[in-house]
Amino acid sequence: MIYFCAEKGENQWFVPDNLITTMTKVWLLVLVVFCHGIFSNGVTNISTRPDVVNVGVILTYKSIIGKVAKVAIEAAVEDVNSDSTVLAGTKIKLTMQDSNYSRFMGIVGALKFMEKDTVAIIGPQQSVTAHVISHIANELQVPLLSYSATDPTLSSLQFPFFVRTAQSDLYQMAAIADIVNYYGWRDVIAIYVDDDHGRNGIAALGDKLAEKRCKISYKAPMPPEATRDDITNLLVKVALMESRIVVLHTYDVPGPVVLNVAQYLGMMGTGYVWIATNWLSTILDTNSPLDSNAMDDFQGVITLRMYAPDSELKRKFVSRWSNLAGGKSANGSFGLSTYGLYAYDTVWLLAHAIDAFFNQGGNISFSNDSRLSELHGGSLNFDAMSIFDGGNLLLNSILQVNMTGITGPIKFTPDRDFIYPAFEVINVIGTGFRRIGYWSNYSGLSVLPPEMLYTKPPNRSSANQRLHSVIWPGQTTHRPRGWVFPNNGRQLKIGVPNRVSYREFVSQVEGTEMFKGYCIDVFTAALNLLPYVVPCKLIPFGDGSNNPSSTEFVHLITTGISTIDKKIVYDAAVGDITIITNRTRIVDFTQPYVESGLVVVAKVRRLNSNVTAIFFLIVGAVVWILEHRINDEFRGPPKKQVVTILWFSLSTLFFAHKENTISTLGRVVLIIWLFLQQLSSSIKGIETLISSKDPIGYRQGSYARNYLVEELGIHESRLVPLNKPEDYAKALKDGPQRGGVAALVDERAYADLFLSTRCEFSIVGPEFTKAGWGFAFPRDSPLAIDMSTAILKLSENGDLQRIHDKWLMSSACTSQSTTFEVDQLQLKSFWGLFAICGFACLLALLVYLIMIVRQFSRHYSDDVESSGSSSGSKCIQTFLTFVDEKEVDVKNRSKRRQMEKASNRSVGEDESTNGSKKRFSESCSSKNLDKGEEA
């Protein structure tokens, strides 16, 4: 306990000195504890913040990006320094270095900043310079923030102190790839400046196109300081290429020159598509309005612009821009590009990061780099550069910023890219341009602003991709095809198989370089339907002694390596080439023009006997008798019924009878007869061949061999290659016992042609694979798509069938033989079946007769009894009339008679009942009368 003693004077208290000393110590202790509490809560004393923070800026003052960025950065620094809530009294001291279009001067400027205790550098303007300066920033731990170095290879892994504060070219190239895919193009030509910015951007474009199964077919690099002659020579080469889709990735200085030269060379006309990266939109935004000559060079071009959503902050800054630009430029006002917006937000981002840096206890201090100290001496003064001790903390503060600027939400992803990357898609028209849509990494192409889609689930489906209409070069709204045949005088080399068999499909005219056949006529007809001329030359493939392998044939389209002549490379393959899975992996096929699956062909011996013809008529007559009373198809005038009997008898030979059998007996007879038509053999189809051990023939060069071995597991020792139809026939006739084959496996098209003149053979069972023939082209060839469309037109207008009939018209025995199974035997082998069929017919007629007699006796019993005294011929005539009547009519008439009889019986009973009642009444009356008289 502490006691306070005081002595009272006049109107005052006297306090001893020792008490004052004690109280002072107590208050000092309380103050220390209070301050410690404040520090422990993370609040730094404002007196520890410096008055100014040095920030460097590297840009080219006179460039189209630099002059806008300079004004925007200065305006942002002024706004930050005038807002005391941002840095709590600390000011940003800005130092600018003009690189004057020189990458070397940009590097020198960065080195000068490192001598002045700079905590961060805004810039450089170009990616090439950023690659070098980023190494310096890494060494001295000074964050490097660039709003215009968009090279996607400036990654955080290699350059941890490089921070991109704009959209990466990776996303711009993804947008271009989506545009190319949206319009259905597959090949593009890339023109670019041959430096880090150009090469790495085009590499990213190639990756993004590959994801869409598109590609860069030709790369056209130009020197960074390209002259007009350099550009002219470059575009002359581009004009000789096949693709007409040109992506121009360059800078604002050479870009307009490229388009001007293209206009001079006629490359801005109909058929061409030019897609420029955002250098063109920067020119349009900054220098608008452009003179008419410059705009003429840009007509129809599609370009991209980094997207900044509309907001109140953006509108306010845009409204200030005229005053800002007019007051800072000696050449008058200029427009505001998106680079100016991102440069403005870069300063604010850095200011928020510096504030967070100080709030976390960061201090502005530097230390010597021991490695640089070893280089002391000389005029370069390397030892004056020092390491920023708080560099890592400031870098982390930058990456943690979460704010809203005039470009929209500003926040970094784990890959150090801005969230929600998006671009506007612009079409240059007339004296200005029109926005035709947007691209965002969230949902692809859309006509709606990206911020409207962020609230919905992402949808990148092709049906959801949309852009407004475009006016293309040449003032056309029709979508360009995107490619032409190279204007270099070279004809397409079309490979054609040099077949030794089945030359109806394709063959070379002897003594000439011409080809003929079904496949050639289809190819020629399809070419004639194309809206352009295809210069081509047909070149044979094969040695002429054996049928060439179609698989090796299609390999030559991509590899160009032939095991036969070692030198021929084909641009396409035309012929009887089957579309199978393995081949589709290396080439693109057209729409199939022939359906041709694998079938089994075997030997057939058809019945040829008069007994067979007689049985045809007998069966037809029996079925007519059994169906006549109940089936309308077997009724009618006598002449029609005779024709029906004959037609039905003959049509069963081909299983083509159209009359339906209704009665049970008729169906039994028909089933037995059709069973007799079936052929008896041990071979029923491919399943039988798989389970047997007999040799199997196949056409040499066909994919059937690989299918039988790899897919069905048949040992290759059982397979016998055959070249010509004559070889097929001999092997099938000889059979396994005499060195032949049990059956032949081949494609349906070949089998039909083989059987058209050889009726002793036939197809066994159904097709066990489904395939077709097509023309082969290199992968992603646009000609394959156009040829497919032409083949569909041939099919729709009937020309494809007419060409088929011209070359592959079947003979009469083809349709017959292909309906049979295998190995019909001689008549003597079927006497038992014929006996069964005959017995079935007699039994069916007997049962039918019994049924008819029962029905006749039941329905005509009264007529027979009433005409019992009549002659027997009358009864027979009545029976025959009954047999000829339709059963339904007989039953209906019988029912009516029964109803009439029942009605008559009911009337008779009523009359009898009434008579009885009358007699009973009379009897009762007479009895009563007698009783009265007695009384």
Side-chain angles (χ1 to χ4, degrees), residues 222 231 248 250-260 279 283 298:
M222 59 183 179
I231 294 173
L248 184 56
T250 179
Y251 300 109
D252 56 272
V253 175
V257 180
V258 172
L259 294 179
N260 180 260
W279 63 264
I283 293 176
F298 302 158

Side-chain angles (χ1 to χ4, degrees), residues 665-684:
L665 293 174
R667 290 178 177 177
V668 170
V669 171
L670 186 61
I671 288 173
I672 294 175
W673 173 241
L674 294 179
F675 174 73
L676 178 60
Q677 292 294 312
Q678 299 298 310
L679 309 175
S680 175
S681 173
S682 59
I683 300 177
K684 299 298 183 182

Side-chain angles (χ1 to χ4, degrees), residues 406-462:
I406 58 177
T407 59
I410 296 177
K411 184 179 179 180
F412 290 97
T413 66
D415 295 329
R416 295 195 183 181
D417 292 318
F418 276 165
I419 60 172
Y420 304 139
F423 288 85
E424 296 177 74
V425 185
I426 294 172
N427 182 209
V428 182
I429 305 171
T431 59
F433 54 86
R434 181 173 69 100
R435 182 175 56 227
I436 60 173
Y438 305 87
W439 178 91
S440 68
N441 194 46
Y442 185 76
S443 57
L445 298 172
S446 172
V447 295
L448 298 176
E451 63 268 19
M452 296 181 63
L453 303 175
Y454 295 147
T455 58
K456 303 176 182 179
N459 187 349
R460 297 298 295 267
S461 64
S462 58

Side-chain angles (χ1 to χ4, degrees), residues 375-595:
L375 301 176
H376 66 279
S379 58
L380 293 179
N381 198 23
F382 284 118
D383 54 350
M385 293 183 291
S386 53
I387 298 174
F388 178 31
D389 297 329
N392 283 300
L393 180 59
L394 180 57
L395 175 65
N396 292 331
S397 299
I398 292 172
L399 299 177
Q400 296 299 319
V401 168
N402 187 359
M403 56 173 276
T404 299
I406 58 177
T407 59
I410 296 177
K411 184 179 179 180
F412 290 97
T413 66
D415 295 329
R416 295 195 183 181
D417 292 318
F418 276 165
I419 60 172
Y420 304 139
F423 288 85
E424 296 177 74
V425 185
I426 294 172
N427 182 209
V428 182
I429 305 171
T431 59
F433 54 86
R434 181 173 69 100
R435 182 175 56 227
I436 60 173
Y438 305 87
W439 178 91
S440 68
N441 194 46
Y442 185 76
S443 57
L445 298 172
S446 172
V447 295
L448 298 176
E451 63 268 19
M452 296 181 63
L453 303 175
Y454 295 147
T455 58
K456 303 176 182 179
N459 187 349
R460 297 298 295 267
S461 64
S462 58
N464 197 54
Q465 305 299 294
R466 187 185 171 196
L467 291 174
H468 290 302
S469 60
V470 178
I471 297 180
W472 305 101
Q475 301 299 310
T476 177
T477 57
H478 180 70
R479 181 187 68 86
R481 186 173 70 244
W483 67 279
V484 295
F485 281 98
N487 189 21
N488 53 15
R490 188 180 76 87
Q491 292 180 318
L492 293 182
K493 290 183 288 186
I494 309 296
V496 180
N498 189 8
R499 299 196 55 81
V500 297
S501 62
Y502 296 112
R503 297 172 65 84
E504 292 87 349
F505 294 114
V506 58
S507 63
Q508 186 173 6
V509 180
E510 294 184 5
T512 69
E513 295 183 353
M514 300 176 60
F515 290 82
K516 65 178 182 179
Y518 171 69
C519 301
I520 301 300
D521 280 5
V522 173
F523 178 72
T524 303
L527 283 183
N528 293 335
L529 290 179
L530 299 181
Y532 47 85
V533 177
V534 180
C536 61
K537 180 180 180 180
L538 302 182
I539 302 175
F541 168 72
D543 57 8
S545 301
N546 297 289
N547 290 325
S549 168
S550 296
T551 300
E552 182 183 0
F553 191 15
V554 298
H555 267 291
L556 298 184
I557 298 176
T558 54
T559 62
I561 302 174
S562 172
T563 58
I564 298 175
D565 49 35
K566 301 292 184 182
K567 61 182 179 181
I568 295 179
V569 179
Y570 298 110
D571 297 308
V574 171
D576 49 344
I577 305 172
T578 307
I579 305 172
I580 58 176
T581 303
N582 290 338
R583 296 172 187 171
T584 58
R585 296 190 179 105
I586 55 178
V587 295
D588 278 352
F589 284 95
T590 61
Q591 173 78 15
Y593 60 91
V594 169
E595 293 184 0

Side-chain angles (χ1 to χ4, degrees), residues 811-878:
S811 67
C813 74
T814 302
S815 59
Q816 297 179 16
S817 62
T818 55
T819 60
F820 289 104
E821 299 289 339
V822 180
D823 259 352
Q824 277 187 322
L825 304 180
Q826 299 299 327
L827 175 62
K828 61 185 179 181
S829 302
F830 283 92
W831 66 267
L833 292 178
F834 277 114
I836 293 174
C837 184
F839 176 75
C841 291
L842 292 176
L843 181 62
L845 289 176
L846 180 61
V847 173
Y848 178 75
L849 181 61
I850 295 173
M851 293 172 60
I852 288 295
V853 171
R854 290 186 60 189
Q855 291 179 7
F856 179 75
S857 62
R858 185 168 63 252
H859 296 302
Y860 285 85
S861 58
D862 295 340
D863 294 343
V864 173
E865 290 176 1
S866 62
S867 60
S869 58
S870 303
S871 63
S873 61
K874 180 69 174 178
C875 182
I876 294 174
Q877 184 177 0
T878 302

